[in-house]
Amino acid sequence: MLVIRMFMEKMLRSTHHYDVTLFQTPQFGQTKGYRQVYRLTVIGEDHDDVLAEVYRMFNVPDLVPKDYGARYVGTGDILMIDEGIFGQFFYRLSPDGWERIHRIHVS
């Protein structure tokens, strides 16, 4: 019985690979001129899980990828989660946390 319950919990907590792109402005605090600064694949259960992992990854010095050359993730930065045929989802970091936005203008 315990084995079945453990198996069911694992099935319910299935993870997915998410294609994530980080956009930042050239200077912190700007509201226009977003550019792609990094793209990666993140494994997570849902968007909230991915957003938390990306924030942690780009704000803890030991976790920052070696080939990352931009600044830490901060207020105003945007993440795009691309789910292929299911669409693209954009999130902006605000003082209250990640908030979903409709889209961005990337220059």
Side-chain angles (χ1 to χ4, degrees):
M1 187 68 168
L2 179 63
V3 174
I4 294 172
R5 186 170 50 173
M6 289 173 52
F7 178 73
M8 289 303 293
E9 286 177 6
K10 184 174 182 175
M11 291 296 290
L12 293 173
R13 290 180 295 149
S14 64
T15 57
H16 306 282
H17 289 76
Y18 292 95
D19 182 22
V20 176
T21 306
L22 175 62
F23 295 92
Q24 292 181 332
T25 56
Q27 301 260 328
F28 179 76
Q30 291 179 324
T31 57
K32 295 182 181 177
Y34 283 93
R35 296 195 174 129
Q36 177 180 332
V37 295
Y38 202 74
R39 185 174 178 184
L40 70 154
T41 301
V42 178
I43 299 172
E45 293 179 27
D46 56 18
H47 287 194
D48 290 333
D49 198 26
V50 171
L51 294 168
E53 178 62 25
V54 169
Y55 182 82
R56 185 174 151 265
M57 180 184 299
F58 291 104
N59 283 298
V60 176
D62 291 340
L63 300 178
V64 175
K66 301 289 185 221
D67 60 340
Y68 180 68
R71 64 179 182 270
Y72 290 116
V73 172
T75 304
D77 292 345
I78 294 176
L79 277 183
M80 178 186 72
I81 300 176
D82 188 353
E83 291 192 18
I85 62 171
F86 298 111
Q88 296 176 334
F89 303 88
F90 295 90
Y91 295 89
R92 179 184 296 130
L93 185 57
S94 70
D96 294 331
W98 294 101
E99 61 183 31
R100 182 140 180 233
I101 58 174
H102 292 289
R103 55 189 278 194
I104 61 169
H105 179 71
V106 180
S107 58

